[in-house]
Amino acid sequence: GAVVSQHPSWVICKSGTSVKIECRSLDFQATTMFWYRQFPKQSLMLMATSNEGSKATYEQGVEKDKFLINHASLTLSTLTVTSAHPEDSSFYICSAGLRIGGSNQPQHFGDGTRLSIL
Amino acid sequence: GESVGLHLPTLSVQEGDNSIINCAYSNSASDYFIWYKQESGKGPQFIIDIRSNMDKRQGQRVTVLLNKTVKHLSLQIAATQPGDSAVYFCAENIQGGSEKLVFGKGTKLTVNP
């Protein structure tokens, strides 16, 4: 099955640090990659949609200068949380999507990154 | 529909029983639906999907039912096992649109031995 690798799985750092999270689709070339944020006991909240070679599309209320997304290839997208503060502490999850013959296929998710800002 | 709210609905069942998890969606234009299972500290794992040209689809121990008239989706798990304990999310998508998914609130399933 489709495998998405997300790294690191866990980060603890000081306030003001920038943190980069990587998301790789290991065995397929993703049409699109997505970044989500999840608070405890809540559902996934889409932050942005990322396509290779183009600027990410951010959801309303998500600061693009705070959450920088780079999508360098069909298998790699990165999310950088710039100048992170304690309120940025959360569980960040990426997913990779694929469209076959014009038909959307299920997104496959990484195992998330637990970010804790002290 | 859009996921809001602070508390997950919960379902508690005995091992071996069948479980039914329900989901109401809000967008009548949605035509592709996916169920995901999320274990603690992990990302969502694909379980089963269904497109709007079907009203039932079966997998291994799981069945998804789609009622477009009332915009309702359900996931049935047969002979529930302790390993099925997790949070289950439904997600909806519009095939002719973007690949974006809209997630439901989720249901926490606890299987008692």
Side-chain angles (χ1 to χ4, degrees), chain A residues 32 38 43 59 103-104 106-107, chain B residues 3 36 38 93 95 99 104:
Chain A
T32 309
Q38 187 176 33
S43 188
E59 295 298 299
S103 178
N104 291 339
Q107 288 179 25
Chain B
S3 178
Y36 287 95
Q38 186 178 28
N93 171 253
Q95 283 289 301
E99 294 171 65

